[in-house]
Amino acid sequence: MLDFGLIIKQMPAILAAFGVTFGIWIVSMLLAAALGFLVAVARRFGPKPLDWLLRAYVEVFRGTPFLVQLFLLYFGGPYVGLSLEPIPVALLAMTVYGGAYFSEIFRAGFEAVPRGHVEAAECVGLTRAQILRRILVPEMTMLVLPLCVNMAIVLLKETAVLSIITVPELTLVIGVIGSQQYAFVESMFLLALFYWLLVELCGVLGRWSEAKLSRFRFAPS
Amino acid sequence: MTPRLFELMLWAAGATVLISAVSILIGLAIGFLVCAARVSRTRWLSTPAAVFVSFFRGVPLLVQLLLIYNLLPGFGLYVPSVVAAIAGLSLCTAAYQAENLRGGFMSVPKGLLEAADMVGLSPWQQMRRIRAPIALRLTLPALINEAILILKASSLISVVGVVELTRMAQNLAASTYRPLLFYSVAGGLYLVINWLVAGGGSLAERMLKKERA
């Protein structure tokens, strides 16, 4: 029978694991967004060879499973002098993986900004940095916001995979508690419920912020 | 890497492709049903469908797989792990495909359906001749995208003990002490498979466009 009492007793350990999941999620999301933004800017303004190189990065990391990337870094890393603990591996892998997706989001955002706006800015003598700061970023923000929320949800769900390389996050800790207490199904059910709630909450927050910010949407031309 | 080991990797890649393809087809069938229930006017059909979609899109696939894998014996269903894995992948992709199909069906022009009504097509005929073909055509790019997602997500079924590409790479990396080589080869094979699927998808799209013109 389902017995959730066993799991409630382990609350301190579960809360600590939630802290790890949440921390890795937020930190790697911010780093991935920053990396993605840099890649998108470099691809737009940088020289052609750099664009090709970054395109290869994006293709490879979007075209292979996150788990394989994680294994390559965690098990292959030590062979090239990169011996890292599970949590740093998790942060690095999530950042590089998420960065590839974020860069495509921002690239699409840049491309959606009407060419005329950029040309007008060039005509009045704005520098590249000014065009980026004054035209491209403000105009694309509303366009990419839903995609970024979506990516945040993808990354949150991807943190569960980190349990496979023994990062002490929620899926691992609850799984271990579940097997120790012979209550694996109950614990997995609880875990699923938890992720579900968090993802739904994320979606609600995303829609709420979109509604709040919708007055900044520029008129499509 | 010896040719023999590469052969093993290729065989495992085949397993990945086969399992993904089966899951996507089953997922498409379930997705159709869920989509139909979701747009139904009866509450007791549309609410469970909405919950289904929300749950399977909101829970990490790994957790779904662990849940299904461990839940089935509780119901007295002792199935091989590959069956549990396909069940998990199918349910997950069904939720996403139901949403894609819903978008497709909602984009079928109203005028066509009114015209079909006028010439006296039955609802079933309308579905078979007009709604379904147009909706499927509209959702083809999303379906290809979903196929690529499932090909990548299928790496997770290695966790419940199914020997596919990732698991094979793991086994060979452990027995030869060459993780860099085998995980890179696995990644390369995933990349090639995804390129082929994406290429095939855009070819199909072009052919459909030509047919329509």
Side-chain angles (χ1 to χ4, degrees):
Chain A
M1 270 315 290
L2 294 183
D3 185 357
F4 292 111
L6 291 172
I7 291 153
I8 305 298
K9 261 190 283 180
Q10 305 279 344
M11 225 42 205
I14 292 174
L15 284 177
F18 171 65
V20 173
T21 288
F22 196 75
I24 290 178
W25 176 40
I26 297 293
V27 171
S28 64
M29 183 167 60
L30 293 176
L31 289 175
L35 176 66
F37 186 75
L38 287 179
V39 169
V41 169
R43 285 190 66 182
R44 186 175 173 108
F45 295 112
K48 261 274 168 305
L50 184 63
D51 180 38
W52 294 333
L53 204 70
L54 292 174
R55 189 175 161 196
Y57 152 67
V58 171
E59 285 282 312
V60 166
F61 281 86
R62 277 166 38 111
T64 53
F66 177 61
L67 183 60
V68 173
Q69 297 168 20
L70 203 58
F71 278 161
L72 192 60
L73 186 61
Y74 187 61
F75 295 113
Y79 287 84
V80 289
L82 201 70
S83 298
L84 294 173
E85 292 293 307
I87 289 184
V89 166
L91 283 173
L92 186 57
M94 293 263 296
T95 300
V96 177
Y97 171 77
Y101 284 88
F102 270 115
S103 83
E104 284 293 276
I105 292 175
F106 292 134
R107 197 171 66 93
F110 287 152
E111 265 166 29
V113 173
R115 192 180 289 268
H117 294 196
V118 179
E119 283 167 1
E122 279 167 357
C123 282
V124 295
L126 264 61
T127 63
R128 273 180 181 177
Q130 282 174 321
I131 291 176
L132 188 65
R133 207 176 94 66
R134 303 274 178 192
I135 313 290
L136 289 176
V137 170
E139 289 199 13
M140 78 163 188
T141 302
M142 283 311 299
L143 289 172
V144 300
L145 188 64
L147 300 173
C148 286
V149 171
N150 200 31
M151 196 57 217
I153 290 174
V154 169
L155 286 179
L156 170 61
K157 292 196 289 172
E158 221 65 86
T159 58
V161 175
L162 300 174
S163 63
I164 301 171
I165 61 156
T166 68
V167 174
E169 49 69 76
L170 215 51
T171 302
L172 180 80
V173 169
I174 291 195
V176 167
I177 291 174
S179 347
Q180 281 170 353
Q181 312 271 12
Y182 296 103
F184 196 78
V185 172
E186 294 85 323
S187 54
M188 279 298 123
F189 188 66
L190 209 64
L191 183 65
L193 223 53
F194 171 80
Y195 279 115
W196 189 14
L197 278 177
L198 205 56
V199 165
E200 284 296 316
L201 189 68
C202 221
V204 168
L205 278 178
R207 282 190 289 278
W208 177 78
S209 59
E210 259 172 68
K212 275 272 167 202
L213 295 170
S214 63
R215 64 198 171 92
F216 294 114
R217 190 186 297 276
F218 72 96
S221 54
Chain B
M1 184 176 348
T2 63
R4 176 77 192 111
L5 291 184
F6 189 66
E7 215 174 275
L8 278 177
M9 291 291 280
L10 280 181
W11 178 87
T16 282
V17 170
L18 190 65
I19 290 169
S20 304
V22 169
S23 304
I24 286 160
L25 289 179
I26 297 176
L28 183 64
I30 302 175
F32 244 118
L33 296 178
V34 173
C35 170
R38 181 100 163 75
V39 297
S40 151
R41 275 186 215 92
T42 18
R43 266 277 175 75
W44 59 269
L45 274 177
S46 65
T47 308
V51 171
F52 175 89
V53 168
S54 161
F55 181 82
F56 283 99
R57 298 205 322 166
V59 177
L61 179 62
L62 178 63
V63 178
Q64 291 173 26
L65 286 170
L66 290 174
L67 194 57
I68 290 172
Y69 184 66
N70 291 288
L71 197 61
L72 289 179
F75 291 120
L77 287 169
Y78 293 92
V79 293
S81 53
V82 67
V83 175
I86 289 177
L89 284 174
S90 304
L91 288 174
C92 179
T93 183
Y96 284 92
Q97 293 194 49
E99 282 301 275
N100 293 340
L101 285 170
R102 196 162 69 99
F105 277 110
M106 287 201 321
S107 314
V108 176
K110 272 239 162 58
L112 291 180
L113 298 176
E114 284 163 7
D117 260 337
M118 292 294 290
V119 295
L121 292 188
S122 68
W124 168 247
Q125 282 175 318
Q126 285 185 25
M127 175 56 90
R128 211 181 84 69
R129 302 271 177 193
I130 296 167
R131 280 171 187 259
I134 293 177
L136 273 179
R137 196 169 290 192
L138 288 173
T139 45
L140 184 64
L143 183 66
I144 298 300
N145 211 15
E146 186 59 28
I148 291 175
L149 279 176
I150 285 300
L151 275 165
K152 290 191 288 171
S154 72
S155 63
L156 291 179
I157 66 176
S158 59
V159 174
V160 292
V162 178
V163 180
E164 38 66 77
L165 187 47
T166 301
R167 186 56 175 241
M168 184 61 87
Q170 226 174 327
N171 292 348
L172 295 180
S175 56
T176 60
Y177 300 103
R178 299 182 76 180
L180 276 178
L181 175 69
F182 283 101
Y183 291 129
S184 303
V185 169
L189 286 172
Y190 276 112
L191 214 50
V192 169
I193 296 168
N194 286 335
W195 274 336
L196 290 177
V197 172
S202 44
L203 192 72
E205 266 172 64
R206 267 204 306 277
M207 275 162 62
L208 280 174
K209 259 198 198 112
K210 213 182 272 172
E211 187 188 302
R212 194 161 37 167

